[in-house]
Amino acid sequence: SQQGEEDPQALSIQEGENATMNCSYKTSINNLQWYRQNSGRGLVHLILIRSNEREKHSGRLRVTLDTSKKSSSLLITASRAADTASYFCATATVNRDDKIIFGKGTRLHILP
Amino acid sequence: GAGVSQSPRYKVAKRGQDVALRCDPISGHVSLFWYQQALGQGPEFLTYFQNEAQLDKSGLPSDRFFAERPEGSVSTLKIQRTQQEDSAVYLCASSSGPPTDTQYFGPGTRLTVL
């Protein structure tokens, strides 16, 4: 079962532009995480945002969380070719402290 | 090594064969997870270990799947009598804290069952 759902499923933008992808979830969470996966590789953790936080930054990444709408967004500013990857949100739901649940991901392609 | 390693990276098996996939977590990480990732999908949880104890195996798709972590470090995921639907990438991850904290992933093992 998958709790989070990313939108869009796929996104192509020009290098230098900003990329925004969204994650919606169904059940109350303790935290939400974003991961990146390059083709044929494992996942790399990007940012963890807790349910009592609204926004976090890490370099060119900005994550927001709106618990009233049960949604999060990941913004990548000034995109680079190396940002081409799949991006997944993962949620840690309340009362389930033994796992995180991944969405299906957004496939981001940065055009040169 | 500094990261999570998995072996083999690629495995081709004939239907009905048994396979064993190995995961070496980051040294000292208490939590270890196995995921199955189908093409174009997100990772699906299989099982979770805290040290040597398997605390959650609710994601294992059938009794043909078995995981162990006998000494609380290296883990092995075994699939008996492989079927074509078992073809996927199997990811291992480890964490120094609880399961809901940051997880560090290995490169995965791509299993193809013919």
Side-chain angles (χ1 to χ4, degrees), chain B residues 9 17-19 21 24 31 36 47-48 57 60 73 75 89 94 97 99 105:
Chain B
R9 289 294 313 278
Q17 281 186 331
D18 297 348
V19 298
L21 312 180
D24 283 82
S31 300
Q36 181 188 61
T47 187
Y48 157 57
K57 56 181 181 179
L60 296 177
S73 178
S75 177
V89 174
S94 69
F105 281 79

Side-chain angles (χ1 to χ4, degrees), chain A:
Chain A
S1 62
Q2 290 181 314
Q3 139 98 316
E5 186 172 324
E6 291 89 343
D7 170 62
Q9 290 187 356
L11 178 63
S12 293
I13 62 171
Q14 293 293 138
E15 191 169 12
E17 292 182 339
N18 296 341
T20 299
M21 52 206 90
N22 304 294
C23 171
S24 58
Y25 56 92
K26 300 173 185 174
T27 311
S28 295
I29 61 170
N30 287 322
N31 71 54
L32 185 146
Q33 303 176 41
W34 285 92
Y35 287 80
R36 182 187 74 230
Q37 184 177 36
N38 292 88
S39 180
R41 310 287 290 274
L43 281 75
V44 174
H45 180 261
L46 298 176
I47 288 184
L48 182 153
I49 187 165
R50 303 194 186 281
S51 60
N52 61 352
E53 297 175 311
R54 291 296 167 260
E55 187 171 312
K56 286 190 83 169
H57 297 255
S58 176
R60 293 183 297 112
L61 306 181
R62 172 178 169 249
V63 168
T64 61
L65 178 64
D66 187 335
T67 53
S68 66
K69 296 181 179 178
K70 291 188 169 58
S71 69
S72 173
S73 68
L74 170 65
L75 168 68
I76 304 174
T77 60
S79 62
R80 305 169 181 171
D83 295 329
T84 294
S86 291
Y87 292 81
F88 298 92
C89 68
T91 51
T93 58
V94 172
N95 298 326
R96 286 309 305 264
D97 58 358
D98 60 346
K99 66 180 68 164
I100 58 175
I101 302 174
F102 287 85
K104 294 184 178 181
T106 291
R107 273 146 284 284
L108 175 65
H109 185 58
I110 308 300
L111 303 168

Side-chain angles (χ1 to χ4, degrees), chain B:
Chain B
V4 178
S5 61
Q6 293 185 246
S7 61
R9 289 294 313 278
Y10 304 91
K11 177 69 178 178
V12 179
K14 292 184 179 179
R15 191 173 55 182
Q17 281 186 331
D18 297 348
V19 298
L21 312 180
R22 177 187 170 107
C23 172
D24 283 82
I26 293 173
S27 178
H29 276 195
V30 169
S31 300
L32 184 145
F33 313 86
W34 283 99
Y35 295 88
Q36 181 188 61
Q37 187 177 26
L39 189 63
Q41 302 294 312
E44 290 269 8
F45 171 84
L46 293 178
T47 187
Y48 157 57
F49 289 87
Q50 185 181 85
N51 295 307
E52 68 277 6
Q54 189 174 20
L55 298 187
D56 188 341
K57 56 181 181 179
S58 61
L60 296 177
S62 76
D63 58 7
R64 296 186 295 104
F65 286 71
F66 172 77
E68 60 183 4
R69 193 186 185 199
E71 297 179 358
S73 178
V74 171
S75 177
T76 303
L77 176 67
K78 298 179 180 178
I79 309 173
Q80 297 177 323
R81 304 181 303 281
T82 52
Q83 304 294 316
Q84 284 190 321
E85 61 263 28
D86 299 335
S87 296
V89 174
Y90 291 85
L91 296 165
C92 175
S94 69
S95 171
S96 60
T100 53
D101 273 0
T102 298
Q103 295 185 16
Y104 298 86
F105 281 79
T109 294
R110 181 177 297 276
L111 173 65
T112 303
V113 181
L114 304 177

